[in-house]
Amino acid sequence: MTKQEKVAFVIDTLESIYPEIPIPLEHKDPYTLLIAVLLSAQSTDVKVNQITPLLFEVADNPYDMVKLSVEEIREIIKPVGLSPMKSKGIHGLSKILIEKYNGRVPQTFEGLEELPAVGHKTASVVMAQAFNVPAFPVDTHIHRLMYRWGLSTGKNVKQTEKDAKRLFPKDKWNKLHLQIIWYGRQYSPARGWDLEKDIITKKIGRKSVLKDYRKKNG
């Protein structure tokens, strides 16, 4: 199977499983999405979706957020982890949004990545999901599956993103990155992986990955 045949199989299979795909993080506008994505670093979407309603009940816009102290923000978001860094980032970026962007979230990668605690992945998610700009945010699921499928070297997320953008059509990036995340969670997890249920990897998986799996699982 050539890489292009693998890519076509991935696209067709994911489209048949997930013709409509939900955004995992609950939000109502670009600002609340930005905060939710920032909070999701080294946490789970489930946990973030439990905490954001509590935070947004108090402050769901930068003007209300800066009225809170960093410590008050931290107390609310503590369950998601990394709260000292995240609370400073939320307060700091909210202040910048007011001072530099009239309270609005910038619609450029450059503008987003200049904000405190906002890296390339967070900026990519916001650009894709809030502004519908083609992007391919790479999380642990996408990084794992691109390697399992033999579509990337697996060296680092930067290389995985580069490979994904090179292989998949640009007009499909935004939907595909969500489809792969959901597929990774449901059919090809890091732990408790059942190859028989993982129809994509079983069909196109890297030979060394399939060999290792079968050796471990008899």
Side-chain angles (χ1 to χ4, degrees):
M1 221 179 199
T2 67
K3 274 197 175 179
Q4 283 310 313
E5 287 172 334
K6 285 185 173 187
V7 165
F9 181 75
V10 167
I11 292 172
D12 291 345
T13 303
L14 292 176
E15 192 60 34
S16 67
I17 299 173
Y18 307 108
E20 300 295 329
I21 194 78
I23 294 175
L25 293 169
E26 295 173 9
H27 65 285
K28 65 176 185 177
D29 56 23
Y31 178 76
T32 52
L33 176 63
L34 173 61
I35 301 304
V37 179
L38 187 157
L39 290 173
S40 71
Q42 296 185 37
S43 186
T44 65
D45 293 343
V46 171
K47 179 60 69 176
V48 173
N49 286 337
Q50 291 171 348
I51 296 304
T52 48
L54 305 177
L55 178 63
F56 296 152
E57 185 178 359
V58 181
D60 63 358
N61 62 79
Y63 296 95
D64 287 335
M65 196 67 77
V66 295
K67 293 175 185 176
L68 301 176
S69 67
V70 171
E71 189 56 40
E72 286 173 323
I73 296 171
R74 183 183 175 188
E75 280 302 310
I76 297 172
I77 69 170
K78 197 175 280 186
V80 301
L82 302 179
S83 59
M85 180 271 289
K86 291 176 181 177
S87 56
K88 288 178 184 175
I90 290 170
H91 193 276
L93 72 81
S94 297
K95 188 176 180 183
I96 291 172
L97 293 183
I98 294 169
E99 293 174 349
K100 193 172 179 180
Y101 298 102
N102 295 316
R104 297 186 178 184
V105 175
Q107 298 187 34
T108 66
F109 285 96
E110 296 77 15
L112 286 165
E113 290 180 37
E114 286 176 355
L115 298 172
V118 176
H120 179 67
K121 182 200 161 191
T122 297
S124 295
V125 173
V126 173
M127 291 297 286
Q129 297 175 5
F131 303 124
N132 202 32
V133 173
F136 214 110
V138 173
D139 76 341
T140 55
H141 299 289
I142 294 174
H143 186 55
R144 179 177 67 254
L145 295 193
M146 286 289 288
Y147 177 77
R148 281 184 178 174
W149 296 342
L151 298 178
S152 186
T153 60
K155 289 181 179 178
N156 52 62
V157 293
K158 190 174 182 180
Q159 184 61 47
T160 299
E161 180 181 343
K162 186 176 178 182
D163 291 334
K165 287 180 172 179
R166 177 174 53 83
L167 290 168
F168 293 112
K170 192 172 185 176
D171 63 347
K172 295 186 181 295
W173 290 355
N174 290 356
K175 188 175 184 181
L176 260 174
H177 104 264
L178 286 171
Q179 290 172 320
I180 296 173
I181 289 170
W182 282 103
Y183 184 88
R185 290 173 176 173
Q186 294 184 307
Y187 297 98
S188 193
R191 298 178 181 179
W193 178 30
D194 183 352
L195 184 61
E196 294 307 309
K197 295 179 181 178
D198 185 354
I199 54 176
I200 296 180
T201 310
K202 190 176 180 182
K203 177 84 171 178
I204 69 168
R206 190 186 296 269
K207 287 182 181 178
S208 61
V209 169
L210 299 179
K211 185 178 179 182
D212 287 347
Y213 175 88
R214 287 171 178 137
K215 183 185 278 189
K216 289 177 183 176
N217 295 274

